[in-house]
Amino acid sequence: MAGKGKEFSGNLFEIRLECGIIFVKYATKTERTHSVRRKEGKTDMKYASNNIRNILIAGHAGSGKTTLTEALVYFSGAAERMGRVEDGTTISDFDPEEAKRKASLSASVVPVEYEGIKYNLIDAPGLFDFEAGEYEGIRAAESVLVVVSGRSGVTVGAEKAFQLARKNGKATMVFVSKCDLENANYFKILEDMKIKFGSTVCPCVVPAKLDDGTPVYINLFSQKAFKYEGGKQIQVYLPDIGHRFQGLIEAMSEAIAETDDELMEKFFGGEAFTTEEIVEGMRKGVKNGLITPVFCGSAVNLQALDMLLYNMHKLLPSPEHNSVLAEDANGDPVELNCAESAPTAAYVFKTVADPFVGKLCFFRVYSGTLNSGSYVLNATKQKKERVGRIVQMHANSRSEIDKVYSGDIAAAVGFKFTTTGDTICDEQHPVILESMEFP
């Protein structure tokens, strides 16, 4: 194959050969069912801030963070096949050194679009020598998903991730991976989490087995059980897990009751909560740090990922009502609201040297919008910058976009002075966001 701009298209993917380099772009389910404008290789898809979830995926090395990220990408329909950490073929660990070590060495931004929601997943390294990636990622996220191995349990990396989330006031959720393995011990891990993470721990999905040994997952919200075949959910009879079942339901109900006075009265009156009350109470508790919901499943075998994604949408906060404080030109505090009509303010949380495009600055927009070709002020360095190109990153691949909206994450090409920790903003409304702390 030779030539420039030669294209091959299909239902699931698009291949371009340009200057001898093959570019592969997988179409997501969202892209196949929603209106997407494509012009000269550019993709411009707008997500309202309430339909965005910025989530740091953190935990100990080897707990399954990258495998979970890979599984969510595949489950969403954004890839034809699922890569493996062991083979060095995952989307997140694209660097040759990462593939060699079979471990993440830097934070990767991986957007997952599923049923109208955009999940900006930030897969952070679990190795302590590279923990700066967690600190970069947590700055851009509203939530932290702590991954705990169903075999190894609550290790130091999981504890550190949980503590980092709490220190930064982030909503926290736990996913216990590898629950389909023979030596997985979910309930022992749950007890360890209650000791190490505290009383906020609240199981929402628990594993069990049918009489023939088939792994199933009990949704405590609906009190129904499901098995999975090729990622597809199939309802089965509710297996007997003994006295634990009622105890889990009561513990979850009590945690939800503590989020609202009316729910507390209902709880003590012996009334059952409605589904809406359960979801809303859980959402409030997660946002306020009163509840740490625990989910479980198997990323490798695509088990219970649908329940995880659904609850990441329903329970974790969006950027919509997440205002942040900054300082204006006089050093006075000013509140930045996540609104398109507000003056532009964004924070650069990661900078890398890309072999193809040069310096690449990852940023999170806190207010307003950022347009390619526009001029902004680097308020930290007091330098005027031109936004050359804006790209939507998918780990090591990228698609060019014209604009980034409030609450979203993207990367910019062409900045001369801007580096990690800088605030870029509207020239007429200069503000500086608080800088990051690194270990």
Side-chain angles (χ1 to χ4, degrees):
M1 293 193 307
K4 182 178 180 180
K6 190 172 182 180
E7 298 192 358
F8 304 81
S9 297
N11 257 351
L12 290 177
F13 59 93
E14 179 181 352
I15 302 176
R16 299 197 325 277
L17 180 65
E18 296 183 4
C19 303
I21 301 173
I22 296 176
F23 294 86
V24 180
K25 171 72 170 66
Y26 290 105
T28 67
K29 287 180 179 178
T30 308
E31 288 177 317
R32 295 198 297 270
T33 56
H34 289 72
S35 174
V36 180
R37 181 174 66 82
R38 295 182 184 271
K39 184 179 181 181
E40 299 177 352
K42 295 185 178 180
T43 300
D44 190 10
M45 180 178 288
K46 176 183 176 182
Y47 281 88
S49 58
N50 65 320
N51 289 329
I52 295 173
R53 301 292 183 274
N54 298 314
I55 304 167
L56 175 70
I57 300 183
H60 202 86
S63 61
K65 302 181 302 299
T66 297
T67 300
L68 176 60
T69 303
E70 186 78 15
L72 292 174
V73 171
Y74 177 73
F75 182 78
S76 73
E80 277 196 317
R81 60 185 60 85
M82 185 172 156
R84 285 166 41 90
V85 172
E86 296 81 1
D87 299 334
T89 56
T90 62
I91 292 171
S92 298
D93 294 346
F94 55 86
D95 186 271
E97 188 64 26
E98 291 178 314
K100 179 182 176 182
R101 292 195 185 204
K102 297 178 174 55
S104 301
L105 305 182
S106 64
S108 298
V109 179
V110 183
V112 171
E113 299 159 359
Y114 184 70
E115 295 188 347
I117 305 297
K118 183 183 183 186
Y119 303 89
N120 286 318
L121 305 180
I122 306 172
D123 181 15
L127 296 171
F128 297 149
D129 288 346
F130 302 93
E131 63 180 331
E134 276 192 0
Y135 286 75
E136 290 174 338
I138 203 167
R139 182 54 191 266
E142 278 82 35
S143 311
V144 177
L145 178 62
V146 180
V147 179
V148 175
S149 168
R151 290 192 303 183
S152 306
V154 185
T155 47
V156 176
E159 287 187 73
K160 293 180 73 172
F162 183 83
Q163 291 164 3
L164 184 64
R166 281 290 183 258
K167 180 182 177 181
N168 286 270
K170 305 296 183 179
T172 312
M173 179 181 282
V174 176
F175 182 77
V176 182
S177 65
K178 310 176 186 179
C179 279
D180 56 337
L181 300 181
E182 282 296 329
N183 55 351
N185 193 336
Y186 174 88
F187 290 104
K188 181 181 182 301
I189 291 171
L190 186 62
E191 291 306 313
D192 286 345
M193 278 193 282
K194 289 178 180 177
I195 294 170
K196 296 175 180 179
F197 294 171
S199 59
T200 64
V201 170
C202 180
C204 299
V205 173
V206 298
K209 288 190 176 180
L210 298 180
D211 294 337
D212 63 359
T214 301
V216 298
Y217 300 90
I218 302 172
N219 185 329
L220 296 179
F221 296 144
S222 63
Q223 299 183 31
K224 295 178 181 178
F226 304 94
K227 69 175 183 178
Y228 289 83
E229 294 180 1
K232 184 179 179 181
Q233 184 188 87
I234 301 171
Q235 187 174 346
V236 296
Y237 66 86
L238 194 65
D240 183 12
I241 58 173
H243 66 280
R244 284 195 177 114
F245 183 73
Q246 197 56 41
L248 290 167
I249 297 296
E250 289 178 3
M252 184 181 71
S253 298
E254 185 175 356
I256 291 170
E258 290 178 355
T259 66
D260 185 271
D261 290 340
E262 291 184 9
L263 293 179
M264 183 64 79
E265 288 181 16
K266 198 170 182 179
F267 175 74
F268 282 118
E271 294 183 62
F273 297 144
T274 65
T275 302
E276 292 75 15
E277 288 172 335
I278 291 172
V279 173
E280 182 59 19
M282 186 69 70
R283 186 194 65 79
K284 282 183 181 179
V286 172
K287 183 179 180 181
N288 297 328
L290 299 174
I291 297 176
T292 302
V294 180
F295 295 86
C296 64
S298 169
V300 170
N301 293 310
L302 304 177
Q303 294 172 0
L305 298 186
D306 54 345
M307 290 192 277
L308 176 64
L309 276 169
Y310 177 82
N311 285 286
M312 283 163 61
H313 169 208
K314 292 295 183 181
L315 304 184
L316 296 181
S318 73
E320 183 180 21
H321 300 299
N322 184 41
S323 59
V324 295
L325 287 177
E327 288 186 356
D328 63 16
N330 300 318
D332 296 325
V334 57
E335 188 176 50
L336 302 182
N337 295 312
C338 188
E340 291 178 32
S341 57
T344 299
Y347 187 84
V348 177
F349 65 91
K350 178 182 171 70
T351 307
V352 298
D354 187 279
F356 298 107
V357 299
K359 185 166 72 172
L360 201 58
C361 294
F362 290 78
F363 62 88
R364 154 77 189 273
V365 180
Y366 284 94
S367 68
T369 58
L370 196 65
N371 301 287
S372 62
S374 64
Y375 286 89
V376 292
L377 173 69
N378 181 325
T380 307
K381 294 187 170 73
Q382 290 298 304
K383 295 283 189 179
K384 187 176 180 179
E385 289 270 34
R386 182 178 183 275
V387 184
R389 291 161 52 204
I390 299 177
V391 291
Q392 179 69 73
M393 298 302 298
H394 301 267
N396 67 326
S397 65
R398 62 187 67 86
S399 55
E400 194 168 337
I401 56 178
D402 294 323
K403 179 183 291 190
V404 188
Y405 299 88
S406 296
D408 212 347
I409 292 173
V413 179
F415 285 151
K416 293 182 179 180
F417 309 105
T418 302
T419 55
T420 301
D422 290 350
T423 301
I424 51 177
C425 59
D426 188 309
E427 293 180 81
Q428 304 303 316
H429 300 85
V431 293
I432 296 180
L433 286 151
E434 183 182 0
S435 59
M436 286 187 289
E437 290 183 10
F438 286 99

